[in-house]
Amino acid sequence: MRACVGLLLWCFSALAVAAIDPVDFSQFEPEQAARLQARYHELNTILRCPKCQNQNIAGSNAPIASDMRRKVRQLLADGKTDTDIEQYMVERYGEFASYRPPVVRRTYFLWFGPLLFLFIMIGGFLTMLRLSRRNSQSDVQSEKDGEIR
Amino acid sequence: MSRLLLFIPLCLFAGLGIIFALSIGESPQNAANAMVGKRIPDFTLPGFNLKQSDPKSQDYTLAQVRGIVSVGEPWLINVFASWCAQCYLEHGFITRLSEQVMVVGLNYKDPPENAGKFLTELGNPYNLVLADLPGDYAFDLGVSGAPETFLISPDGQILARHAGVIDRLVWDQKFAELWRQYSEPIFKE
């Protein structure tokens, strides 16, 4: 049984490796190349494919996604920073292109909205709990009153 | 008072519903572009002026293209390709538009022979066809596919952009007012 689970897990990890497309940084020294590879894969996961509803460019088959990956590779080889590259894409494709929207006034609702919503719901739930308790208490009260009478 | 509190989750739900309902309309592809309002980036692209009697391919810079098509009115860049099914659909409207507006065709990731066949079959509505085979210039425009259409002001500002088939409705809603606004009057008052 444990062997089966282990085998399944191993299969999934193999899938993850296969999904990464090998990219060529061979003109750099191996250490440098390895770092660029890592940044390449990282950037591909935080950039959104403009033609897809909700996929990063790492996971999308769309032609524009592969164009963007190629561009990322080129910009990395040119020595640009991760921020430069993200900025480059956002300049052309808008904030939609990044899975990390900035935390500025107009995106406060995006970032904090769900949390706020959660608090309101918890508040509502607790209020309802208190109300029902109060109701059942007054029921007990009127029962007692009823007994005295 | 306590009864009213029970309405809060309902109001929140209604609020969310309104927010979501307002977002319906623009496709995400129309959202995924940040070039509107910016200057049109420079380029040097091979092009054909098929309205010439002997069209030979030559390189055109942005300045040269503006010299040809920007005659005091905004002009259009229409991103098209022979592999793009929707481009066949909008071709009729582009042809009609080209009677009143200068249109530059940006052939996107399309071998020139295929583009040539497309234009021969359907007719050529473009004042100028520029070839962007690798798609690098289109990338600078924030293009993510075909068809896409951009409206450029006489002084080189990107006024509007539409991703998808352009028809009378799209023109009226997105482009018509800007085109009128940015057309320079022939006679200065």
Side-chain angles (χ1 to χ4, degrees), chain B residues 66-75 102 154 184:
Chain B
R66 284 175 66 193
I68 298 171
V69 300
S70 184
V71 286
E73 282 167 356
W75 48 287
M102 298 293 246
E184 289 157 7

Side-chain angles (χ1 to χ4, degrees), chain A residues 50-53 63-64 67-68 70-71 88-96 109 117 120-121 127-128 131 134, chain B residues 2 5-6 8-9 12 16 19 28-29 31-35 38 108-109 134 136 138-140 142-145:
Chain A
K51 214 158 175 66
C52 321
Q53 279 282 13
I64 186 66
D67 283 353
M68 285 174 80
R70 208 170 2 108
K71 210 48 178 213
Y88 185 93
M89 298 301 175
V90 168
E91 250 170 40
R92 287 151 181 75
Y93 293 100
E95 279 164 5
F96 190 88
F109 186 66
F117 197 67
I120 293 175
M121 294 310 276
T127 310
M128 287 187 61
L131 285 174
R134 217 181 290 155
Chain B
S2 52
L5 284 176
L6 292 176
I8 289 180
L12 278 174
L16 264 182
I19 291 174
Q29 280 147 46
N33 185 284
M35 293 307 291
K38 298 193 177 141
Y108 177 61
K109 297 169 81 107
D136 288 337
F139 199 95
D140 278 344
V143 167
S144 49

Side-chain angles (χ1 to χ4, degrees), chain A residues 41-60:
Chain A
H41 293 307
E42 172 69 31
L43 281 164
N44 285 353
T45 61
I46 64 151
L47 290 170
R48 188 196 244 114
C49 163
K51 214 158 175 66
C52 321
Q53 279 282 13
N54 208 3
Q55 273 183 303
N56 57 28
I57 62 176
S60 167

Side-chain angles (χ1 to χ4, degrees), chain A residues 104-116:
Chain A
V104 289
R105 215 196 286 154
R106 69 176 181 282
T107 58
Y108 279 169
F109 186 66
L110 173 70
W111 280 103
F112 304 122
L115 207 64
L116 186 70

Side-chain angles (χ1 to χ4, degrees), chain A residues 5-20:
Chain A
V5 173
L7 190 65
L8 267 171
L9 283 173
W10 183 86
C11 287
F12 277 122
S13 68
L15 268 173
V17 171
I20 298 173

Side-chain angles (χ1 to χ4, degrees), chain B residues 106-123:
Chain B
L106 184 65
N107 192 223
Y108 177 61
K109 297 169 81 107
D110 205 9
E113 322 85 66
N114 297 3
K117 252 184 257 163
F118 176 93
L119 293 173
T120 314
E121 266 175 39
L122 297 178

Side-chain angles (χ1 to χ4, degrees), chain A residues 63, chain B residues 80-88 108-111 114 118 145-147:
Chain B
F80 78 102
S82 62
W83 48 257
C84 152
Q86 291 188 325
C87 298
Y88 289 82
Y108 177 61
K109 297 169 81 107
D110 205 9
N114 297 3
F118 176 93

